[in-house]
């Protein structure tokens, strides 16, 4: 009992600094939120400098927590590599923040700059990390369905990015090629982030605990929302450092750090029951259908100023067609689930009948 008590205390003592670090990230986000909304009469240059400096601690701490998650005992090679890639992506983003803070200190922000290169490297690195997590896809049909679902979610999100950021950039028609390419690069990076988000949301890795997966997904969604808000405010010329957009980024860092903290645990793969065929192949994920609804929402928002009976008829017809296709899909999935259940029941009955019919033979042999 004494040895067990010492082991528990040793484990708790090893985890305590990381728990304090994770709680500190959450407290940091709260403090930054209060500072951003507080009615402080600060000069614009001072607020910008403080706001840019505030990004440096959380980015580095999240990368450190990701490195710790990659050292979790019992991780597969794929999961270990995934956490490493995520940590490298966070370091790239932190490097962009550090360079931008340096440019603010010297009062010189080149265009384009090395900070832009670091920020843009964040998106492909993050995508590599997200797709590196091992997934359970047993058949070609399941892989095809997964690819179609991911494409549906990514396309629905792409409509949002196009409506708020890419469309206005294209309509502006800037003559500076470098400025236009750089302005487009960030929304394209958001599309890459959307694809990775769809992949990990539709097929949650078995080696990622449910709490860690949920925090990772919410953190990425919040980060994507902050990216879109930053792009919209930059186009409108209303972005101000140290305000609610920056607060959203800090909250995303806190969520991502908490995800890495909770992921540091033994996966217990040998005790986890494998997903059943009905669960893995015949489930009905709601995310693709939510993406379809989001796409229609963007369409209605776009034609709100040009509404007419003709357009109304087309929209109603398109919505009706989509509803019929979705209803057919739901019916087909339910029928597949029923057939699989009946097949399993008949298989169990046949096995029991065989045992009963051959019981006398077994007795004779014994």
């Amino acid at each position: 009992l004494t040895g067990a008590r010492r082991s528990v205390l040793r484990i708790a003592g090893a985890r305590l600094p990381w728990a304090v670090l994770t709680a500190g990230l959450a407290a940091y986000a709260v403090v930054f939120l209060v500072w951003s909304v507080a009615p402080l009469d600060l000069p614009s240059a001072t607020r910008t400098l403080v706001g840019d400096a505030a990004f440096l601690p959380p980015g580095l701490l999240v990368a450190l927590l990701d490195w710790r998650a990659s050292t979790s005992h019992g991780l597969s090679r794929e999961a270990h590599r995934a956490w490493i890639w995520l940590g490298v992506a966070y370091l790239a983003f932190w490097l962009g923040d550090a360079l931008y803070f340096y440019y603010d200190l010297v009062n010189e922000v080149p265009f384009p700059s090395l900070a832009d290169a670091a920020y843009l490297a964040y998106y492909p690195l993050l995508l590599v990390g997200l797709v590196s997590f091992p997934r359970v896809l047993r058949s070609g049909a399941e892989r095809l369905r997964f690819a179609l679902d991911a494409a549906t979610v990514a396309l629905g999100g792409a409509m949002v990015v196009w409506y708020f950021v890419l469309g206005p950039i294209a309509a502006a028609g800037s003559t500076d090629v470098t400025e236009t390419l750089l302005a487009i690069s960030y929304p394209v990076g958001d599309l890459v982030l959307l694809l990775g988000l769809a992949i990990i949301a539709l097929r949650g890795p078995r080696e990622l605990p449910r709490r860690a997966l949920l925090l990772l997904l919410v953190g990425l969604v919040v980060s994507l929302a902050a990216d879109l808000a930053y792009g919209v405010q930059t186009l409108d010329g209303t972005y101000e450092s140290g305000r609610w957009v920056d607060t959203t980024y800090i909250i995303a860092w806190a969520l991502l750090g908490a995800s890495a903290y909770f992921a540091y645990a033994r996966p217990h793969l040998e005790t986890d029951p494998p997903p059943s065929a009905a669960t893995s192949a015949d489930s009905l994920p709601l995310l693709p259908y939510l993406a379809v609804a989001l796409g229609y929402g963007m369409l209605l928002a776009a034609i709100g100023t040009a509404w007419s009976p003709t357009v109304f008829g087309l929209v109603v017809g398109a919505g009706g067609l989509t509803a019929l296709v979705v209803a057919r899909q739901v019916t087909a999935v339910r029928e597949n689930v029923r057939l699989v259940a009946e097949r399993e029941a008949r298989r169990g009955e046949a096995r029991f009948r065989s045992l009963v019919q051959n019981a006398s033979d077994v007795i004779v042999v014994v």
Side-chain angles (χ1 to χ4, degrees):
L1 289 178
T2 303
R5 189 180 299 110
R6 289 177 179 174
S7 299
V8 171
L9 291 175
R10 184 167 59 251
I11 294 174
R15 292 182 178 180
L16 182 60
W18 299 99
V20 172
L21 188 63
T22 306
L25 270 175
Y28 189 90
V30 173
V31 171
F32 189 87
L33 172 63
V34 173
W35 176 80
S36 65
V37 300
L40 301 176
D41 189 14
L42 295 176
S44 177
T46 303
R47 177 173 288 276
T48 299
L49 195 63
V50 174
D52 292 343
F55 280 97
L56 299 181
L60 197 58
L61 293 179
V62 172
L64 184 61
L65 286 167
D66 265 53
W67 168 81
R68 178 176 180 260
S70 69
T71 63
S72 179
H73 180 66
L75 278 183
S76 66
R77 182 180 303 177
E78 293 82 2
H80 170 76
R81 184 167 59 245
W83 282 113
I84 291 295
W85 278 111
L86 289 181
V88 173
Y90 299 149
L91 278 178
F93 202 96
W94 175 84
L95 180 60
D97 289 335
L99 289 171
Y100 207 88
F101 176 66
Y102 169 75
Y103 293 144
D104 280 340
L105 286 177
V106 298
N107 294 322
E108 181 181 355
V109 182
F111 181 83
S113 66
L114 291 176
D116 293 316
Y119 285 138
L120 293 177
Y122 161 77
Y123 298 103
L125 291 172
L126 186 69
L127 178 63
V128 172
L130 293 176
V131 301
S132 295
F133 281 106
R135 297 177 302 277
V136 181
L137 298 173
R138 288 185 171 84
S139 63
E142 191 174 354
R143 286 191 290 269
L144 177 61
R145 183 164 50 249
F146 165 69
L148 292 175
D149 288 344
T152 302
V153 175
L155 183 58
M159 294 179 68
V160 179
V161 176
W162 173 265
Y163 179 77
F164 285 108
V165 183
L166 279 176
I169 292 176
S174 176
T175 57
D176 190 341
V177 178
T178 304
E179 181 179 356
T180 302
L181 289 177
L182 187 60
I184 292 176
S185 298
Y186 285 100
V188 170
D190 289 332
L191 295 180
V192 172
L193 177 57
L194 263 173
L195 179 59
L197 185 62
I199 289 174
I200 199 169
L202 291 170
R203 284 294 182 269
R206 291 182 60 199
E207 295 185 53
L208 197 58
R210 184 179 299 274
R211 186 185 301 178
L213 176 61
L214 179 61
L215 288 169
L216 178 62
L217 291 175
V218 175
L220 292 177
V221 170
V222 173
S223 177
L224 178 62
D227 267 356
L228 292 178
Y230 175 78
V232 171
Q233 290 194 355
T234 301
L235 290 173
D236 296 341
T238 58
Y239 172 74
E240 185 178 355
S241 181
R243 294 299 183 181
W244 69 269
V245 174
D246 290 355
T247 303
T248 308
Y249 277 116
I250 299 296
I251 293 174
W253 280 127
L255 292 169
L256 295 175
S259 171
Y261 170 77
F262 287 112
Y264 184 78
R266 183 175 176 83
H268 295 292
L269 293 179
E270 65 278 5
T271 60
D272 289 343
S276 63
T279 301
S280 61
D282 299 310
S283 60
L284 184 64
L286 296 179
L287 198 56
Y289 300 101
L290 293 177
V292 172
L294 184 62
Y296 272 102
M298 292 298 99
L299 178 62
L300 293 175
I303 65 177
T305 57
W307 195 257
S308 67
T310 303
V311 174
F312 176 76
L314 292 176
V315 171
V316 170
L321 288 174
T322 305
L324 290 175
V325 172
V326 171
R328 182 193 177 280
Q329 177 69 9
V330 171
T331 304
V333 169
R334 288 181 176 176
E335 181 65 17
N336 288 338
V337 171
R338 185 183 65 81
L339 292 176
V340 169
E342 290 181 357
R343 185 179 60 189
E344 293 296 329
R346 286 196 300 268
R347 185 177 301 173
E349 292 174 0
R351 186 180 300 110
F352 180 73
R353 187 183 304 112
S354 176
L355 288 173
V356 172
Q357 291 174 351
N358 295 286
S360 59
D361 297 337
V362 174
I363 293 173
V364 170
V365 171
V366 172

